[in-house]
Amino acid sequence: PRWMTELAIDYTSWGIISMYTVYMKNIWRVIALLKDLHKRIILVVGVSFVIGLGTLVVPYFFKLIVDELASAVQTQNIQVVMSQIWKLLVTLAIIQAVLLIAKYYKEYLEDNLRLDTFFGLRKKLMAHSLELSQDYYETNQAGAISDKITQGGYELGWWSMS
């Protein structure tokens, strides 16, 4: 976003470490602005973690199925092995269905969180702008102030949710 590159350009003489520090300061500022959304952010991260673990289970189940097929070829006892394979396939289908539902739920949570972040930041920026002194409004153009509120909130919201 434009405001991040402007910050980075202002501090380029300090080097890479200082740019990292500037970005971290901005991240902590955004986190402080989003205090009322912390629980929802943790929920989104938790659901993402569960989805990540679930996607790791799927290849393991395929390994188990291949192992069962290999044992069926060796033992020639196809009936017992086929019942095991069917159990594994049903379990795999259930896991895939749960993952699908969890992914849709995660997208729903992310979309609502993103919208609440945009509008919450914009609301806080507007409240802050109402607390500014009269001198600020006399020295800055009204269009520039409005652009900072709308575009800045939008960019900050996208940056914080990416």
Side-chain angles (χ1 to χ4, degrees):
R2 183 178 59 207
W3 63 273
M4 285 180 57
T5 55
E6 290 172 359
L7 282 175
I9 290 170
D10 290 343
Y11 295 100
T12 52
S13 61
W14 292 1
I16 293 173
I17 294 174
S18 65
M19 286 192 301
Y20 174 76
T21 306
V22 170
Y23 289 132
M24 287 305 296
K25 286 181 184 176
N26 290 334
I27 290 170
W28 290 118
R29 286 179 185 161
V30 170
I31 290 172
L33 285 173
L34 300 174
K35 282 183 183 176
D36 52 336
L37 300 175
H38 283 181
K39 291 179 183 177
R40 291 174 54 195
I41 292 170
I42 291 170
L43 179 64
V44 169
V45 169
V47 171
S48 298
F49 183 74
V50 169
I51 291 171
L53 287 178
T55 56
L56 292 175
V57 170
V58 173
Y60 180 71
F61 269 85
F62 280 116
K63 177 210 174 287
L64 293 176
I65 292 170
V66 170
D67 289 346
E68 289 293 326
L69 286 173
S71 70
V73 170
Q74 290 176 353
T75 62
Q76 302 293 327
N77 192 355
I78 294 176
Q79 295 296 335
V80 174
V81 173
M82 285 307 290
S83 67
Q84 286 294 102
I85 290 174
W86 278 111
K87 288 178 187 176
L88 289 171
L89 286 174
V90 168
T91 306
L92 183 62
I94 292 170
I95 290 171
Q96 289 287 58
V98 169
L99 284 175
L100 182 67
I101 293 169
K103 287 177 185 178
Y104 282 121
Y105 182 63
K106 183 185 111 175
E107 288 180 20
Y108 170 78
L109 289 174
E110 285 176 342
D111 289 342
N112 285 335
L113 183 62
R114 186 175 292 118
L115 287 174
D116 289 346
T117 301
F118 290 155
F119 293 118
L121 288 174
R122 189 173 288 176
K123 186 177 177 181
K124 287 181 182 184
L125 286 171
M126 183 59 80
H128 175 71
S129 69
L130 294 175
E131 295 173 0
L132 295 173
S133 68
Q134 187 69 27
D135 294 334
Y136 180 79
Y137 290 100
E138 290 175 358
T139 57
N140 293 299
Q141 295 178 346
I145 296 170
S146 174
D147 185 47
K148 285 179 185 178
I149 291 172
T150 56
Q151 191 64 26
Y154 182 75
E155 288 180 0
L156 187 62
W158 272 109
W159 173 76
S160 65
M161 290 291 110
S162 61

